[in-house]
Protein backbone atom coordinates (compact mmCIF):
# COMPACT_ATOMS: atom_id res chain seq x y z
CA UNK A 1 0.00 0.00 0.00
CA UNK A 2 1.35 3.40 -0.96
CA UNK A 3 -0.04 6.85 -0.39
CA UNK A 4 1.31 9.89 -2.14
CA UNK A 5 0.46 13.38 -0.97
CA UNK A 6 1.08 16.28 -3.29
CA UNK A 7 0.00 19.83 -3.98
CA UNK A 8 1.91 21.69 -1.32
CA UNK A 9 3.69 24.92 -1.95
CA UNK A 10 4.21 28.47 -0.81
CA UNK A 11 1.31 30.88 -0.64
CA UNK A 12 0.51 34.19 0.97
CA UNK A 13 -1.90 34.42 3.86
CA UNK A 14 -5.45 34.35 2.60
CA UNK A 15 -4.55 32.17 -0.33
CA UNK A 16 -5.59 28.63 -1.21
CA UNK A 17 -4.02 25.28 -1.95
CA UNK A 18 -5.44 21.89 -2.76
CA UNK A 19 -3.62 18.82 -1.56
CA UNK A 20 -4.15 15.44 -3.14
CA UNK A 21 -3.70 11.99 -1.67
CA UNK A 22 -3.46 9.20 -4.21
CA UNK A 23 -3.43 5.58 -3.15
CA UNK A 24 -2.18 2.41 -4.71
CA UNK A 25 -3.01 -0.96 -3.29
CA UNK A 26 -6.24 0.17 -1.63
CA UNK A 27 -9.53 1.64 -2.72
CA UNK A 28 -9.79 4.84 -0.72
CA UNK A 29 -13.60 4.86 -0.68
CA UNK A 30 -13.46 1.71 1.46
CA UNK A 31 -11.27 3.30 4.11
CA UNK A 32 -11.17 6.27 6.39
CA UNK A 33 -8.53 8.74 5.22
CA UNK A 34 -7.06 11.30 7.53
CA UNK A 35 -5.02 14.43 7.04
CA UNK A 36 -2.44 15.43 9.62
CA UNK A 37 0.17 18.13 9.76
CA UNK A 38 3.39 18.73 11.61
CA UNK A 39 5.00 22.08 12.09
CA UNK A 40 8.67 22.42 13.08
CA UNK A 41 9.16 21.63 16.74
CA UNK A 42 5.55 20.52 17.19
CA UNK A 43 3.78 17.21 17.40
CA UNK A 44 1.82 15.82 14.51
CA UNK A 45 -1.68 17.29 14.59
CA UNK A 46 -4.97 15.97 13.28
CA UNK A 47 -6.45 18.20 10.58
CA UNK A 48 -9.45 16.25 9.37
CA UNK A 49 -10.68 12.96 8.03
CA UNK A 50 -13.28 11.42 5.83
CA UNK A 51 -14.94 8.16 6.69
CA UNK A 52 -15.36 5.29 4.31
CA UNK A 53 -18.21 5.76 1.91
CA UNK A 54 -20.19 2.86 3.41
CA UNK A 55 -20.42 4.84 6.64
CA UNK A 56 -21.59 8.00 4.97
CA UNK A 57 -18.19 9.38 4.11
CA UNK A 58 -18.78 12.56 6.09
CA UNK A 59 -15.69 14.60 6.87
CA UNK A 60 -14.62 15.88 10.27
CA UNK A 61 -12.21 18.70 11.05
CA UNK A 62 -10.22 20.11 13.87
CA UNK A 63 -11.78 23.34 15.10
CA UNK A 64 -8.92 25.50 13.85
CA UNK A 65 -9.64 24.67 10.20
CA UNK A 66 -13.43 24.39 10.22
CA UNK A 67 -14.97 26.61 7.59
CA UNK A 68 -11.65 26.97 5.77
CA UNK A 69 -10.63 23.42 4.85
CA UNK A 70 -12.69 20.85 2.98
CA UNK A 71 -11.99 17.15 2.47
CA UNK A 72 -13.50 15.39 -0.51
CA UNK A 73 -13.11 12.24 -2.57
CA UNK A 74 -12.87 11.47 -6.24
CA UNK A 75 -13.54 7.75 -6.30
CA UNK A 76 -12.84 7.45 -10.01
CA UNK A 77 -9.31 8.73 -9.38
CA UNK A 78 -8.92 6.94 -6.05
CA UNK A 79 -7.94 10.30 -4.61
CA UNK A 80 -8.81 12.29 -1.51
CA UNK A 81 -8.40 16.05 -1.54
CA UNK A 82 -7.79 18.63 1.12
CA UNK A 83 -8.93 22.01 -0.13
CA UNK A 84 -7.42 24.72 2.01
CA UNK A 85 -8.79 28.25 1.77
CA UNK A 86 -8.10 31.40 3.75
CA UNK A 87 -4.72 30.03 4.72
CA UNK A 88 -3.01 31.47 7.77
CA UNK A 89 0.62 31.61 8.79
CA UNK A 90 -0.10 29.04 11.49
CA UNK A 91 -1.18 26.53 8.82
CA UNK A 92 2.47 26.23 7.78
CA UNK A 93 3.48 22.58 8.20
CA UNK A 94 4.21 19.35 6.43
CA UNK A 95 0.87 17.76 5.59
CA UNK A 96 0.40 14.01 5.58
CA UNK A 97 -2.42 11.81 4.43
CA UNK A 98 -3.04 8.49 6.11
CA UNK A 99 -5.25 5.47 5.59
CA UNK A 100 -6.92 3.35 8.23
CA UNK A 101 -7.10 -0.34 7.49
CA UNK A 102 -10.04 -0.86 9.86
CA UNK A 103 -13.09 1.18 10.68
CA UNK A 104 -13.02 2.32 14.28
CA UNK A 105 -15.97 3.47 16.32
CA UNK A 106 -14.31 6.62 17.62
CA UNK A 107 -13.60 9.87 15.79
CA UNK A 108 -10.28 8.53 14.42
CA UNK A 109 -8.34 11.67 15.18
CA UNK A 110 -5.22 9.94 16.52
CA UNK A 111 -2.21 9.10 14.41
CA UNK A 112 -2.24 5.54 15.69
CA UNK A 113 -5.74 5.05 14.25
CA UNK A 114 -4.08 4.97 10.81
CA UNK A 115 -1.94 2.26 9.31
CA UNK A 116 -0.43 3.73 6.17
CA UNK A 117 1.07 7.16 5.61
CA UNK A 118 2.10 9.25 2.67
CA UNK A 119 5.46 10.99 2.55
CA UNK A 120 4.17 14.47 3.34
CA UNK A 121 3.97 17.68 1.37
CA UNK A 122 5.19 21.05 2.59
CA UNK A 123 2.76 23.95 2.93
CA UNK A 124 4.28 27.33 3.66
CA UNK A 125 2.09 30.34 4.31
CA UNK A 126 3.72 33.73 4.45
CA UNK A 127 2.14 36.51 6.41
Amino acid sequence: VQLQASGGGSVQAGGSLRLSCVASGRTLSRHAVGWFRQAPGKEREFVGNIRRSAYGGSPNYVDSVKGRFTISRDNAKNTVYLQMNSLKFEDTAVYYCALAERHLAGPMIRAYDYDYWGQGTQVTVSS
Side-chain angles (χ1 to χ4, degrees):
V1 179
Q2 289 189 332
L3 299 176
Q4 183 168 359
S6 62
S10 297
V11 64
Q12 289 189 333
S16 298
L17 285 172
R18 188 178 76 162
L19 306 185
S20 300
C21 179
V22 180
S24 59
R26 288 292 185 274
T27 301
L28 289 184
S29 62
R30 298 177 181 174
H31 297 272
V33 176
W35 285 97
F36 291 76
R37 64 187 180 186
Q38 189 166 18
K42 295 187 177 181
E43 294 186 353
R44 193 166 295 190
E45 173 191 31
F46 172 78
V47 175
N49 64 13
I50 186 166
R51 296 298 188 115
R52 57 184 293 184
S53 298
Y55 288 91
S58 58
N60 297 289
Y61 306 96
V62 68
D63 286 346
S64 60
V65 308
K66 283 181 180 177
R68 299 190 297 121
F69 290 12
T70 303
I71 298 174
S72 62
R73 295 183 189 272
D74 184 334
N75 293 338
K77 295 182 179 180
N78 205 29
T79 301
V80 171
Y81 299 103
L82 177 64
Q83 177 67 45
M84 306 186 294
N85 298 329
S86 302
L87 282 162
K88 303 177 181 180
F89 175 76
E90 51 265 39
D91 294 320
T92 296
V94 177
Y95 283 71
Y96 300 88
C97 62
L99 179 147
E101 195 72 276
R102 301 161 297 157
H103 173 72
L104 302 176
M108 300 185 71
I109 63 173
R110 305 296 182 183
Y112 57 70
D113 292 330
Y114 297 85
D115 302 288
Y116 301 102
W117 292 79
Q119 82 287 0
T121 184
Q122 176 71 46
V123 172
T124 302
V125 184
S126 57
S127 57

